[in-house]
Amino acid sequence: MHELVRTIKYEADRVPGFGEEIKSVPGCENLQSCIQCGTCSGMCPLSIYMDYTPRQIIELVRSDFKNEVLKSYTIWLCASCYVCTVECPREVHITDIMYELKQRAIHEGYYPKRFPIPVLAREFFRMVFKYGRVTENFLATTMMLKSNWKGVFSSWKLGLKLISTGRFPFKKEEIKRKDELQKILSTVDKLSIDMLGGISHLGNGTKKSNNNHNNHH
Amino acid sequence: MKKEQVRIGFYVCHCGHNIASVVDCKAVAEYVAKLPGVVVSRDYKYMCSDPGQELIINDIKEHKLNRIVVASCSPLLHEHTFRTATEKGGLNPFLCQMVNIREHNSWVHTDREAATLKAKELARAAVHRVMFHRELETKKVPITPAVMVVGGGIAGIHAALTLANAGKKVYLVEREPTIGGHMAKFDKTFPTLDCAACILTPKMSEVASHPNITLWTYSEVVKVEGFVGNYKITVKHKPRYIIEDLCVGCGECINKCVYKDPRFPDEFNEGLGKRKPIYLPFPQATPQVVLIDPEVCLKLKTGKCKQTCLEGCQDRKAIDFNQKERFSEVQVGAVIIATGFKTFDAKRIPQYGYGKYPNVFTALEVERMVNASGPTNGHVVLRDGREPKSIGIIHCVGSRDKKTNKYCSRVCCMYSLKLAHLLKEHTNAEVYNFYIDMRTPGKAYEEFYDKLLNEGVHFIRGRVGEVTDWAYAPGEEGKLVIRVEDTLAGFVRRIPVDMVVLATGLEPQPDAADVQRMFNMSCGSEGFFLERHPKLAPVNTFTDGIFLAGCCQGPKDIPDTVAQAGAAAAEALVLIDKGFIEQEPNTAFVREEDCSGCKSCISLCPYSAITFNETKKKAEINEALCKGCGTCVASCPSGSIVQRLFEDEEIFSEIEGLLVDSANGKNFAGQSSGEKRAEVMAK
Amino acid sequence: MKYCYYPGCSVKGTGRAYEESLLAVLNALGIEYEELEDWNCCGATAYMAMDEIKSCVLAARNIALAEKAGYTEIMAPCSACYLVLNKSLRYMESSKPVAETVNKALATANLKISKKIKVRHPLDIILNDYGLDRLKKAVKRPLKEFKVAPYYGCQIIRPYSTFDDQYNPTSMDKILTALGATVVEFPLKTRCCGSSLTGTLPEPGLLCAYIILREALRRGANVISTGCSLCQFNLDGYHDKIEKKWEPVRIPTLYFTQLIGLALGIDEQTLGIHRCIVPLSATIGQPVNS
């Protein structure tokens, strides 16, 4: 028996200021000009898997429906191929907006705990901070272990093939002046507060919205 | 002016909230009351209104004023109003000076104190200036009672007929070999589905036979000289290689042409059909005269041809291979520009595959196909001759897009609906319309949309990103696939179609910039000619005597075009019926005794108004041509050229008025306002 | 002119063949280059997902190092690196506060970005700097039996297209034709390959790769040519899974530099041809250059 679901959105479901916050990021201002034509969704190769299409995401962001947006699958499915941005007749930078949403979702924890994509992003981040470069096989293995460790079993064949063709180096890639890089990156945190203004979207290395309604998952 | 005492009346307008919300008008009036020469100083809510003007008229009589200063809006708006009021009060209208404290002050500043101070200073400058104003007379310049209409589409045709029926002489100049414009290419027109040719051709033949209209086709305007009421226009007549008066349009020459079959792309049929080197653009072409294309005619290109066309023409002998281009010069009083539009070039959007995939057509191409006298006799077919079983019409091609044209082309939704209807009539195909918004604002347009909804056309709200030929699902092989988000249903769809029709938008003609320069008009940011005011003066331009009609001013449908053409004709009639225009007396003249005969001014005049009198060895200015630009005045080394309304004393005293030292209230001569006032009053 | 060579993390790992073939080709053609000393990861798409200023700073360190070493042009073969470096430059140009933040951060390491440095892709360098005429003359072994589907991927074409058309790029086409190969008509030149989704969310990612492979075969190609290490990996590494889900679409995917190398007569071992998971021999009969 089909379970009835009631979906009506009240004004209380909105998180006022969310749309403004995204709009204030340099490059994302055109968000308001969207005419909801659907070109982005029509061209996006991944839109057929998304729960909200890119067009719907723009509308939700504009209308401050933060929870729906940050809990959606869409922002993780975006492969940042930029077709939407290039084809948009209003020049809305949809890909950049998707990146902003990814950032907020990661920092506020709006995704299932072992969801591979944010896990990958975090591991990538850590590896670069520590070593300055990424060693792909270690990264991929770590990501799999931390998200879906069963994936290790389905990928062992690919792993063997990579080893046999010499594409699975065991040497860790790293730069010489690691501390220099770490200093540079840490300085950005402080500067973001000083120079780029406030904690609204940059600061402390974390992306925080002004309003923190329901930021658990 | 030194002889009579100046008695100045000063009026500052509140303009409702427009000025008063930023400028303290009462304070300005109080300040000006203390300035030299000012007898009356008032502030009032709406100076341009009848009571406001009455104030001026009564004060002149009561207080024996002989100068008026009004501080209000831009002279462009009400200079004429206040000059007329001054005249009604019994003074020469040019003894009135306006100060702009709205566009130049209250509308651009927010600081109340600073804006009020600025208003006071501007008023003071005007008070000093107006003391030196002289009495001047306007000149009446006669208007040539003839009008030229540039462009022979429906706009030009309607304007020409309206003027001709009012008894005026009209020259209708059209670049193509026939009049009719784009409307002649349509099959049916929305929303009535009238046959375009049936409603257009009667008007075309009326133009051809009207005694007041001189119809020049295959001709272009090449030079425009003069000014409103007195334009001298040179028109170039391109050679048809046919003597127009002798040709009767029988078409025998075409039959006899050495090319047995038509071989060259036919412009009228958008390249879908073929024609011979000697051809008639379409069966109802007006005038009914053939022409020869020199690019492909053997005789004209190579000189070697049997010239069998001459046999076809027999005794009429209308063919003349030696015809050259001719020029005509005419004098007209007004010009109506009705040069129309061009369709957006679909090749600029490679995503839609026009030019790459053979079965992608533009709307105009399909319009020709659907037309019974078109290249396929009314059968809608693909390039290989098959009938399409599914057709996709894509709206907004080249319009509403920052990458091509930002504006909406206004007619495409309606003509896409019309094409959907015609395609359903002519084929058994499934028709899909892909749109962003359905724009159907006109009379009976929404009802037309409703009619289409009931005809089984599929409407999908989603802008198409691309048309491709890569197949994924079964049934897509060999077809053109449109992948689009059906935004209303909420999912992405792939729809294979046989034929794609692109609803291309409207753009200005490619040579709009040249026409604009020739007629001294302005263009808007999209390239269409600029009207004087978008709401209240849609057919006037900023140049007096030049009017606009039709799509050259902006995309519009036929009803609006005809309405605008009538409006332009009416405006032209106003000029011509009045018979004269009053020219502003801001012309320059040469003070002979001071002129040294150096001739510096002569080449500088942009209106060629200055000539050198060899006998007197002095420069002379033709005041009928002078537009008061001031170039010669500024350049004259001996200072012998004077411009009325901008004489040296007027300008210097205005500057002096501005530079009164606000700190101690003294002017350059060290006098305070009160001292200067006493001096002026005593004289 | 000596180009500053910025490899990126993938060509040291799964994209080894790209570096091997690229460097072999550059040497053979006489194009001078030098690897940027102590280069760091550009951040790719993952860093952008965490913090765009830090991503900008990561890229900026490399550009500043290049400036310090006196280079004016950086060659970035990996498409993602190419995009990130260009995007960071533009981000700094468009926003003064961002530029100041980045330079202040770099200053802690005595680095700065003050000059205009160009970041270019090898396709651009070979086509426009080296030139097709010279390339044609250098061809020793024309690739007559190769029917190539040119696959550009997305990052070198969108959103910035400095050297090629965004909708229908032809730089790789021209190079391949100059090598004597036949370039097939391929409408999916710039359709996304699935990016990192093939590893994280297999179903959508693999579908993207499958569509490209399938269409290439249908158009009559016997090899796909690409210019990005991730694209090559996606099109090369998942054939087992694709075959299981849909159907076999075995066609080898080579880097365009490998194809240039083959045409120049360089041996297959040097070019890393053996590193392809779907071997070249799957569709091209005999070994090309031993």
Side-chain angles (χ1 to χ4, degrees):
Chain A
M1 174 71 196
H2 170 75
E3 197 187 288
L4 292 177
V5 177
R6 182 167 175 274
T7 50
I8 176 170
K9 295 286 173 193
Y10 295 103
E11 288 301 282
D13 295 311
R14 292 173 54 223
V15 175
F18 180 62
E20 280 302 317
E21 194 188 307
I22 303 287
K23 232 183 4 141
S24 66
V25 176
C28 299
E29 305 85 3
N30 284 350
L31 173 52
Q32 288 295 81
S33 302
C34 172
I35 50 171
Q36 293 284 299
C37 66
T39 307
C40 49
S41 316
M43 296 291 274
C44 174
L46 281 321
S47 63
I48 52 179
Y49 287 101
M50 293 174 177
D51 46 355
Y52 289 114
T53 59
R55 172 192 62 91
Q56 288 174 315
I57 293 285
I58 300 293
E59 176 55 28
L60 290 170
V61 169
R62 271 207 295 212
S63 308
D64 299 326
F65 284 101
K66 174 176 168 185
N67 295 314
E68 287 75 359
V69 168
L70 295 185
K71 282 186 200 160
S72 71
Y73 229 35
T74 306
I75 56 183
W76 306 115
L77 276 166
C78 172
S80 43
C81 75
Y82 288 95
V83 182
C84 50
T85 305
V86 163
E87 296 294 326
C88 176
R90 284 287 189 272
E91 291 181 354
V92 179
H93 295 184
I94 300 156
T95 315
D96 292 341
I97 293 170
M98 288 292 171
Y99 274 131
E100 285 302 312
L101 298 174
K102 272 193 180 106
Q103 288 167 17
R104 278 162 184 67
I106 288 178
H107 289 285
E108 296 182 41
Y110 273 84
Y111 50 85
K113 198 148 193 272
R114 296 169 81 81
F115 193 44
I117 300 170
V119 168
L120 174 64
R122 265 213 321 270
E123 291 309 311
F124 198 109
F125 194 81
R126 280 195 201 140
M127 204 181 251
V128 171
F129 190 80
K130 210 166 160 194
Y131 298 105
R133 291 183 196 169
V134 156
T135 316
E136 283 170 315
N137 50 338
F138 292 150
L139 177 65
T141 322
T142 318
M143 185 243 344
M144 272 194 277
L145 287 172
K146 286 197 173 177
S147 60
N148 170 28
W149 52 270
K150 290 208 193 102
V152 180
F153 292 113
S154 66
S155 307
W156 65 270
K157 242 193 194 164
L158 176 59
L160 275 181
K161 285 210 192 99
L162 287 175
I163 295 175
S164 66
T165 52
R167 290 161 79 171
F168 200 96
F170 289 93
K171 182 174 91 108
K172 204 164 196 91
E173 281 285 327
E174 51 186 359
I175 60 175
K176 285 181 262 174
R177 303 191 283 276
K178 290 194 271 285
D179 47 342
E180 179 184 287
L181 180 65
Q182 286 169 3
K183 200 165 159 203
I184 295 177
L185 287 172
S186 313
T187 320
V188 175
D189 285 332
K190 184 177 171 303
L191 285 173
S192 296
I193 304 176
D194 292 343
M195 301 192 68
L196 290 155
I199 59 164
S200 68
H201 56 274
L202 290 155
N204 275 334
T206 52
K207 294 265 171 176
K208 249 180 152 57
S209 296
N210 278 329
N211 312 293
N212 289 315
H213 296 213
N214 311 326
N215 70 337
H216 58 83
H217 191 97
Chain B
M1 304 94 341
K2 299 274 170 23
K3 298 197 181 103
E4 43 153 334
Q5 204 183 69
V6 280
R7 297 176 64 79
I8 303 172
F10 176 77
Y11 304 87
V12 52
C13 183
H14 289 226
C15 195
H17 267 287
N18 280 309
I19 297 178
S21 60
V22 181
V23 174
D24 184 349
C25 298
K26 276 212 172 353
V28 175
E30 280 164 16
Y31 172 78
V32 175
K34 302 194 195 90
L35 292 179
V38 178
V39 173
V40 169
S41 179
R42 297 187 199 283
D43 66 287
Y44 184 65
K45 229 177 168 114
Y46 299 104
M47 278 309 296
C48 56
S49 65
D50 272 348
Q53 295 180 51
E54 286 294 319
L55 278 178
I56 299 178
I57 298 170
N58 292 337
D59 280 348
I60 293 175
K61 297 195 180 115
E62 210 181 295
H63 295 275
K64 298 199 186 6
L65 302 176
N66 52 26
R67 299 284 187 279
I68 302 288
V69 175
V70 181
S72 59
C73 52
S74 163
L76 274 178
L77 253 52
H78 281 304
E79 188 168 57
H80 185 75
T81 314
F82 295 122
R83 279 185 178 161
T84 311
T86 310
E87 199 173 20
K88 284 197 195 143
L91 283 182
N92 183 290
F94 297 96
L95 296 174
C96 169
Q97 172 73 353
M98 271 186 81
V99 184
N100 186 342
I101 57 167
R102 193 181 72 171
E103 281 87 338
H104 287 185
N105 195 347
S106 70
W107 272 3
V108 295
H109 298 309
T110 47
D111 183 339
R112 203 178 159 79
E113 216 179 286
T116 307
L117 177 63
K118 179 170 172 178
K120 288 179 186 170
E121 292 174 332
L122 287 174
R124 187 178 62 220
V127 162
H128 280 243
R129 185 198 215 277
V130 83
M131 286 193 230
F132 292 93
H133 275 217
R134 293 180 205 266
E135 294 185 357
L136 297 169
E137 297 297 326
T138 55
K139 236 188 249 328
K140 285 194 174 41
V141 179
I143 295 201
T144 313
V147 182
M148 175 172 286
V149 177
V150 182
I154 180 66
I157 289 173
H158 184 82
L161 284 174
T162 311
L163 286 164
N165 286 333
K168 309 298 174 216
K169 172 102 195 92
V170 180
Y171 296 95
L172 179 53
V173 180
E174 164 58 52
R175 179 164 63 181
E176 297 296 314
T178 166
I179 53 175
H182 278 97
M183 191 174 165
K185 297 191 186 191
F186 300 158
D187 180 37
K188 305 260 194 302
T189 54
F190 56 79
T192 48
L193 294 174
D194 277 315
C195 157
C198 307
I199 53 178
L200 180 62
T201 42
K203 284 177 104 104
M204 282 164 63
S205 66
E206 217 189 309
V207 164
S209 57
H210 205 294
N212 286 340
I213 301 182
T214 301
L215 176 59
W216 283 335
T217 52
Y218 217 38
S219 306
E220 283 181 55
V221 172
V222 290
K223 193 154 88 150
V224 176
E225 294 171 301
F227 56 98
V228 55
N230 299 279
Y231 287 109
K232 189 166 84 178
I233 302 187
T234 311
V235 177
K236 175 175 82 172
H237 306 281
K238 299 185 279 198
R240 284 178 187 258
Y241 304 102
I242 305 285
I243 302 171
E244 236 180 89
D245 298 329
L246 298 177
C247 174
V248 298
C250 64
E252 276 306 307
C253 50
I254 303 178
N255 292 337
K256 284 280 196 302
C257 175
V258 288
Y259 281 97
K260 283 282 146 250
D261 298 310
R263 211 184 296 173
F264 305 99
D266 181 353
E267 294 89 352
F268 190 77
N269 281 317
E270 296 290 299
L272 290 177
K274 300 229 189 296
R275 60 161 172 81
K276 298 189 186 180
I278 184 167
Y279 65 105
L280 196 61
F282 65 100
Q284 299 88 19
T286 306
Q288 270 274 302
V289 175
V290 298
L291 72 152
I292 303 180
D293 180 357
E295 304 279 312
V296 296
C297 166
L298 284 178
K299 164 74 183 156
L300 290 169
K301 239 179 36 166
T302 64
K304 299 192 188 66
C305 179
K306 283 196 222 131
Q307 297 172 65
T308 41
C309 46
L310 294 172
E311 291 166 29
C313 194
Q314 293 172 343
D315 304 325
R316 277 182 282 277
K317 294 200 180 25
I319 302 180
D320 173 12
F321 287 108
N322 295 317
Q323 200 178 66
K324 299 267 176 293
E325 65 183 21
R326 296 176 298 116
F327 293 88
S328 298
E329 227 177 62
V330 287
Q331 311 248 39
V332 294
V335 181
I336 297 182
I337 309 286
T339 48
F341 65 92
K342 88 174 231 297
T343 49
F344 175 79
D345 181 6
K347 283 216 174 80
R348 284 170 61 186
I349 305 187
Q351 287 87 327
Y352 291 146
Y354 181 69
K356 180 175 170 202
Y357 301 122
N359 292 320
V360 175
F361 295 84
T362 60
L364 207 45
E365 287 173 347
V366 173
E367 189 88 38
R368 288 313 301 154
M369 265 207 281
V370 150
N371 193 311
S373 58
T376 55
N377 296 316
H379 296 291
V380 176
V381 289
L382 301 168
R383 306 267 183 194
D384 57 7
R386 288 181 298 135
E387 231 199 50
K389 296 218 176 49
S390 48
I391 305 174
I393 303 178
I394 300 180
H395 290 220
C396 299
V397 175
S399 308
R400 301 188 70 189
D401 185 345
K402 272 190 183 171
K403 297 189 292 290
T404 50
N405 292 318
K406 286 194 211 168
Y407 54 86
C408 166
S409 291
R410 197 160 166 154
V411 299
C412 326
C413 276
M414 281 309 293
Y415 82 57
S416 300
L417 288 176
K418 173 193 75 174
L419 281 178
H421 169 84
L422 292 172
L423 288 169
K424 275 281 236 215
E425 241 181 28
H426 286 241
T427 67
N428 286 320
E430 294 294 326
V431 177
Y432 302 86
N433 277 53
F434 300 97
Y435 66 98
I436 308 176
D437 292 296
M438 197 52 86
R439 297 197 158 167
T440 57
K443 197 164 176 177
Y445 286 11
E446 183 67 23
E447 294 84 332
F448 190 68
Y449 179 33
D450 192 48
K451 177 177 143 86
L452 260 297
L453 282 169
N454 288 311
E455 281 181 10
V457 171
H458 306 277
F459 286 99
I460 297 174
R461 187 195 176 276
R463 181 174 180 277
V464 174
E466 66 177 349
V467 172
T468 66
D469 63 349
W470 71 271
Y472 186 73
E476 291 179 6
E477 293 287 339
K479 296 200 188 234
L480 293 169
V481 178
I482 294 179
R483 185 183 193 265
V484 70
E485 186 195 8
D486 184 337
T487 62
L488 297 178
F491 40 69
V492 175
R493 291 170 67 169
R494 281 178 71 94
I495 301 172
V497 293
D498 289 324
M499 179 189 210
V500 170
V501 182
L502 301 176
T504 44
L506 273 53
E507 283 187 330
Q509 291 274 17
D511 63 348
D514 296 331
V515 174
Q516 173 225 341
R517 237 172 287 131
M518 233 188 330
F519 287 98
N520 199 19
M521 296 187 284
S522 309
C523 278
S525 56
E526 328 84 31
F528 292 105
F529 298 131
L530 197 60
E531 64 286 331
R532 183 177 282 214
H533 190 277
K535 288 214 173 299
L536 297 179
V539 297
N540 305 66
T541 57
F542 285 101
T543 308
D544 290 332
I546 313 277
F547 305 101
L548 300 171
C551 288
C552 62
Q553 181 257 346
K556 53 180 71 69
D557 50 23
I558 295 171
D560 287 348
T561 301
V562 171
Q564 204 183 37
E571 297 280 338
L573 273 173
V574 162
L575 267 184
I576 302 213
D577 274 349
K578 199 159 155 205
F580 64 88
I581 51 153
E582 302 214 13
Q583 234 191 345
E584 169 119 334
N586 61 353
T587 50
F589 62 92
V590 179
R591 270 203 292 254
E592 257 186 45
E593 57 271 19
D594 295 331
C595 173
S596 64
C598 70
K599 298 194 199 169
S600 326
C601 53
I602 297 179
S603 51
L604 286 172
C605 177
Y607 303 96
S608 310
I610 314 182
T611 47
F612 191 67
N613 185 323
E614 293 293 342
T615 333
K616 291 193 205 164
K617 292 273 187 272
K618 307 274 182 191
E620 275 178 357
I621 298 180
N622 178 350
E623 302 206 11
L625 293 175
C626 175
K627 299 297 273 171
C629 71
T631 310
C632 57
V633 181
S635 70
C636 176
S638 55
S640 57
I641 305 188
V642 179
Q643 181 166 353
R644 299 189 183 87
L645 276 186
F646 290 92
E647 299 188 31
D648 285 355
E649 288 159 318
E650 290 168 352
I651 296 180
F652 286 136
S653 67
E654 189 170 3
I655 297 174
E656 196 186 84
L658 269 178
L659 294 177
V660 164
D661 186 343
S662 312
N664 61 11
K666 294 194 191 292
N667 67 8
F668 278 129
Q671 300 164 309
S672 72
S673 277
E675 288 164 347
K676 178 79 180 178
R677 182 192 167 92
E679 178 188 307
V680 168
M681 294 302 233
K683 285 196 178 129
Chain C
M1 153 145 81
K2 206 188 215 180
Y3 297 95
C4 174
Y5 171 55
Y6 175 79
C9 310
S10 5
V11 310
K12 299 292 185 191
T14 54
R16 243 175 107 179
Y18 197 3
E19 183 176 63
E20 291 169 346
S21 52
L22 174 66
L23 298 185
V25 164
L26 291 177
N27 289 331
L29 293 179
I31 298 176
E32 285 192 344
Y33 67 91
E34 191 176 331
E35 186 169 319
L36 180 63
E37 194 261 334
D38 211 34
W39 57 269
N40 60 271
C41 179
C42 70
T45 50
Y47 239 81
M48 267 289 181
M50 295 291 290
D51 185 331
E52 71 262 12
I53 303 292
K54 288 203 180 145
S55 165
C56 196
V57 157
L58 266 189
R61 178 174 176 273
N62 294 305
I63 299 172
L65 284 173
E67 178 178 315
K68 198 169 184 184
Y71 293 106
T72 50
E73 292 196 11
I74 300 178
M75 182 193 321
C78 168
S79 302
C81 302
Y82 172 81
L83 174 60
V84 170
L85 291 173
N86 268 309
K87 191 170 180 186
S88 304
L89 279 174
R90 288 197 193 216
Y91 198 28
M92 288 194 287
E93 261 170 50
S94 69
S95 167
K96 211 153 159 264
V98 169
E100 279 178 25
T101 312
V102 170
N103 270 318
K104 277 220 166 95
L106 289 177
T108 61
N110 288 325
L111 293 169
K112 65 171 169 15
I113 298 184
S114 55
K115 302 203 187 86
K116 269 197 166 333
I117 287 206
K118 278 200 211 155
V119 178
R120 301 178 66 194
H121 195 268
L123 270 175
D124 179 12
I125 292 173
I126 292 176
L127 180 68
N128 295 318
D129 289 5
Y130 191 74
L132 282 179
D133 295 327
R134 277 165 77 188
L135 184 64
K136 272 194 202 139
K137 287 203 190 92
V139 169
K140 294 201 185 75
R141 188 254 185 253
L143 305 175
K144 282 195 291 333
E145 68 273 45
F146 283 65
K147 297 201 201 55
V148 192
Y151 177 65
Y152 294 75
C154 51
Q155 315 267 297
I156 49 179
I157 295 301
R158 294 187 293 264
Y160 317 119
S161 68
T162 50
F163 65 95
D164 212 339
D165 184 67
Q166 276 186 325
Y167 188 67
N168 186 19
T170 50
S171 47
M172 209 192 295
D173 296 32
K174 288 185 192 141
I175 291 178
L176 293 169
T177 315
L179 300 176
T182 315
V183 175
V184 305
E185 171 80 29
F186 191 51
L188 303 181
K189 280 178 181 175
T190 60
R191 195 177 200 273
C192 183
C193 66
S195 176
S196 49
L197 290 171
T198 44
T200 52
L201 286 177
E203 189 173 327
L206 290 176
L207 179 65
C208 291
Y210 166 60
I211 286 175
I212 294 166
L213 293 163
R214 191 176 103 138
E215 194 62 23
L217 280 170
R218 277 165 167 228
R219 297 279 165 163
N222 53 22
V223 68
I224 298 180
S225 153
T226 179
C228 167
S229 20
L230 187 52
C231 295
Q232 199 277 343
F233 188 74
N234 281 342
L235 294 175
D236 193 31
Y238 292 102
H239 282 265
D240 290 342
K241 290 192 178 160
I242 290 174
E243 198 172 312
K244 216 163 144 192
K245 258 181 129 55
W246 294 287
E247 52 167 337
V249 278
R250 290 181 84 76
I251 175 173
T253 305
L254 259 56
Y255 294 103
F256 75 96
T257 43
Q258 289 177 307
L259 289 168
I260 298 179
L262 287 175
L264 293 178
I266 305 176
D267 64 287
E268 291 187 13
Q269 183 73 15
T270 312
L271 295 173
I273 304 282
H274 57 289
R275 301 205 194 277
C276 292
I277 295 181
V278 177
L280 189 53
S281 55
T283 51
I284 305 274
Q286 291 146 322
V288 181
N289 298 336
S290 336

